[in-house]
Amino acid sequence: MTVKFTETVLRDGQQSLIATRLKMEDITPILNKIDQAGYYALEVWGGATFDSCMRFLNEDPWERLRKIRKEVKNTKLQMLLRGQNILGYKHYPDDVLEKFIEKSVENGIDIIRIFDALNDIRNMEKAVEFTKKYGAEAQGTIVYTTSPVHNLDTFVEKAKELAETGIDSLCIKDMAGLLTPEKGYDLVKMLKSNLDIPIEIHSHNTAGFAFMTYLKAVEAGIDIIDTAISPFSSGTSQPTTETMAAVVNDSEYNQQLDLSVLEDIGDYFRELRKKYQEYLGSFEVDTRVIVNQIPGGMLSNLRNQLREQNQLDKYDEILAEIPEVRKDLGFPPLVTPTSQIVGTQATFNVITGKKYGFVSNEFKNYLRGMYGRPPREINPDLIEDIISSSEVISNRPADNLEPIFAKTAAEIEGFAKSEEDVLSYILFPEVAESFLKRNK
């Protein structure tokens, strides 16, 4: 059996370790070399990279994708899509989701990894449908977490339900690095016996499990593993590409990466990392994640934000508060946007000194059911104290949203020059408007 590799350095690797600050000028010189390495896919887009391009780097995320596609001829390009949230932090209507997927594929994406923070299949169905309509591979995702209401059987049932939507492959997304080796082995075995599609694993080494979990996943028959080239690997990022390639080489399984090419890629990023020293996150194992469950990308951003506000001394207290807020919200997996909702609320609780004395609009919308169905019932006291129970919805959240793409396009035609610009604006209005006007 051949184990395939997806390289994450251009998306999740740099998102997890340098707060998504990697510039296109530093990506372009290494693309041809990466394309020669023998990867199955490159994760290059989506997640927080879209927002960060405009917000921090003064780059057009669509142009970044086009430039990467122009250079990468042999390897599939992959993106991460937050289901009905697309790349934003709320649900968007179906017309926007369809147009976004159409343009993503048109600009170069081959594989769209689709997830929902609550594992609510209703929030992924349309994304799967549109991805297949426009000719890309739809990879469904189960978001792994631990709680009193999650176990391997619940994940397998979710995966089977997701497979019925017509996904081409399935990803186990372990964003906080909580999947232990034995559970990883059992989960992959169970999925392989229940599904007839390729299975991929994506984890972070935050808690120190991921290398071992990947090896056990390989032994259980995993088809694809997500890794990051060594200078941007481990810690809150993925296991190391070179290490896992050597591990697979020294087993009964095969892999197709060229180790000498990987060495060149590693040398390039090792030198480049010095340029981003101010953003560099931790490579250390932090076992506190086993309790607080904060995903890798969020840890680096939380530290940065607290540092900027001179509140870094509150970091440990906020980490301890996060599980309490999560329990009140029905044990949602902590992945964008639920990780931001829970993390922000925990921060408010600690900094103000009053639990739920101040709550965000996103927090209220979560209580209203506008992000979907949580794994367990929300603490009813929260609903009673913060909103009214009459505001709570039970249907698919996007069914309550009117189409907005054409209307928005007409409103901003003065500074939006393309459908891609309109999509950028719909997802991030203030950031995109500033960016588009600045770069006329």
Side-chain angles (χ1 to χ4, degrees):
M1 190 186 101
T2 299
V3 179
K4 298 174 181 175
F5 283 67
T6 293
E7 175 60 58
T8 68
V9 66
L10 301 182
R11 207 287 295 177
D12 205 10
Q14 61 108 358
Q15 180 175 317
S16 296
L17 286 174
I18 56 168
T20 331
R21 294 308 203 278
L22 186 62
K23 296 177 182 176
M24 190 63 214
E25 66 188 47
D26 294 323
I27 294 173
T28 305
I30 197 64
L31 285 175
N32 286 327
K33 184 70 74 171
I34 292 175
D35 196 26
Q36 297 164 19
Y39 290 109
Y40 170 72
L42 307 179
E43 190 194 42
V44 299
W45 213 58
T49 61
F50 191 96
D51 172 18
S52 295
C53 274
M54 295 184 291
R55 188 185 299 271
F56 301 120
L57 308 178
N58 196 38
E59 292 180 13
D60 184 338
W62 299 97
E63 183 62 21
R64 173 182 283 215
L65 175 56
R66 288 190 289 269
K67 285 178 177 176
I68 294 173
R69 177 78 284 172
K70 185 179 177 185
E71 298 296 328
V72 177
K73 308 292 187 188
N74 307 308
T75 317
K76 294 180 181 182
L77 298 185
Q78 180 173 307
M79 73 165 291
L80 181 67
L81 186 84
R82 300 168 187 157
Q84 209 70 38
N85 294 326
I86 308 180
L87 298 178
Y89 302 97
K90 64 179 183 180
H91 281 220
Y92 296 90
D94 291 338
D95 69 319
V96 176
L97 176 64
E98 179 168 6
K99 182 61 72 173
F100 187 90
I101 288 173
E102 177 190 356
K103 289 297 173 183
S104 298
V105 176
E106 187 181 300
N107 282 278
I109 290 295
D110 300 298
I111 304 168
I112 301 182
R113 177 176 292 170
I114 301 157
F115 79 94
D116 177 70
L118 298 175
N119 284 322
D120 190 336
I121 308 297
R122 301 173 305 167
N123 296 334
M124 294 185 268
E125 288 171 338
K126 285 293 184 182
V128 172
E129 177 190 326
F130 297 145
T131 299
K132 292 175 76 71
K133 176 179 176 179
Y134 292 103
E137 178 184 320
Q139 183 174 83
T141 305
I142 49 170
V143 175
Y144 182 80
T145 189
T146 59
S147 84
V149 295
H150 291 92
N151 58 53
L152 296 189
D153 289 329
T154 63
F155 291 119
V156 172
E157 285 308 308
K158 281 288 181 188
K160 287 161 66 176
E161 190 183 343
L162 189 51
E164 290 173 9
T165 67
I167 56 173
D168 300 295
S169 60
L170 179 89
C171 176
I172 304 163
K173 181 175 172 60
D174 178 26
M175 61 285 164
L178 300 170
L179 187 59
T180 59
E182 290 304 316
K183 280 196 170 64
Y185 180 88
D186 291 344
L187 181 56
V188 173
K189 275 287 189 189
M190 291 165 74
L191 291 171
K192 293 294 287 185
S193 66
N194 280 279
L195 303 177
D196 193 25
I197 52 176
I199 311 292
E200 184 160 357
I201 189 167
H202 173 96
S203 188
H204 296 246
N205 201 45
T206 317
F209 296 139
F211 286 85
M212 296 178 285
T213 300
Y214 273 28
L215 176 57
K216 295 297 287 184
V218 167
E219 292 173 355
I222 201 80
D223 298 281
I224 312 164
I225 58 177
D226 282 14
T227 59
I229 204 74
S230 51
F232 283 89
S233 70
S234 199
T236 51
S237 180
Q238 280 72 58
T240 308
T241 304
E242 301 97 312
T243 304
M244 289 311 305
V247 166
V248 174
N249 274 353
D250 199 32
S251 74
E252 62 186 287
Y253 304 97
N254 303 311
Q255 62 84 30
Q256 297 174 324
L257 291 174
D258 185 324
L259 298 186
S260 65
V261 175
L262 293 184
E263 190 174 338
D264 292 341
I265 298 168
D267 288 344
Y268 177 83
F269 280 104
R270 196 168 291 108
E271 185 64 28
L272 182 65
R273 196 174 69 188
K274 299 172 186 174
K275 180 177 174 180
Y276 294 93
Q277 203 66 34
E278 64 180 300
Y279 303 111
L280 198 58
S282 174
F283 292 88
E284 294 176 9
V285 165
D286 187 346
T287 52
R288 288 175 297 183
V289 75
I290 299 169
V291 176
N292 64 51
Q293 303 208 359
I294 302 176
M298 189 187 167
L299 273 176
S300 58
N301 280 320
L302 177 62
R303 288 186 68 89
N304 268 338
Q305 288 161 8
L306 290 172
R307 188 182 295 112
E308 287 166 7
Q309 296 162 20
N310 294 318
Q311 298 276 5
L312 197 53
D313 60 313
K314 303 284 201 307
Y315 182 67
D316 289 343
E317 201 177 339
I318 291 168
L319 292 190
E321 177 67 9
I322 283 171
E324 299 301 313
V325 175
R326 180 177 181 241
K327 180 181 177 182
D328 281 339
L329 292 186
F331 296 104
L334 292 187
V335 64
T336 305
T338 52
S339 54
Q340 281 79 5
I341 293 168
V342 172
T344 299
Q345 191 57 51
T347 303
F348 287 153
N349 289 356
V350 168
I351 289 176
T352 64
K354 186 179 179 187
K355 215 170 175 76
Y356 304 115
F358 178 81
V359 298
S360 66
N361 285 329
E362 290 80 9
F363 190 86
K364 290 177 184 176
N365 284 336
Y366 181 96
L367 298 182
R368 293 181 181 115
M370 292 172 70
Y371 287 93
R373 192 184 293 127
R376 195 169 82 176
E377 184 186 11
I378 295 169
N379 181 344
D381 292 340
L382 281 185
I383 293 174
E384 200 62 40
D385 294 344
I386 296 170
I387 61 167
S388 161
S389 57
S390 63
E391 296 177 52
V392 178
I393 65 169
S394 59
N395 62 336
R396 184 181 80 114
D399 287 340
N400 300 340
L401 303 175
E402 294 293 324
I404 59 169
F405 184 83
K407 178 172 174 281
T408 307
E411 289 172 354
I412 64 169
E413 62 181 348
F415 60 85
K417 304 301 181 190
S418 65
E419 290 185 318
E420 287 88 344
D421 288 350
V422 177
L423 289 164
S424 298
Y425 177 84
I426 288 172
L427 294 179
F428 302 102
E430 292 177 8
V431 173
E433 181 172 355
S434 172
F435 170 79
L436 293 169
K437 287 180 174 177
R438 194 166 61 242
N439 290 278
K440 271 187 175 180

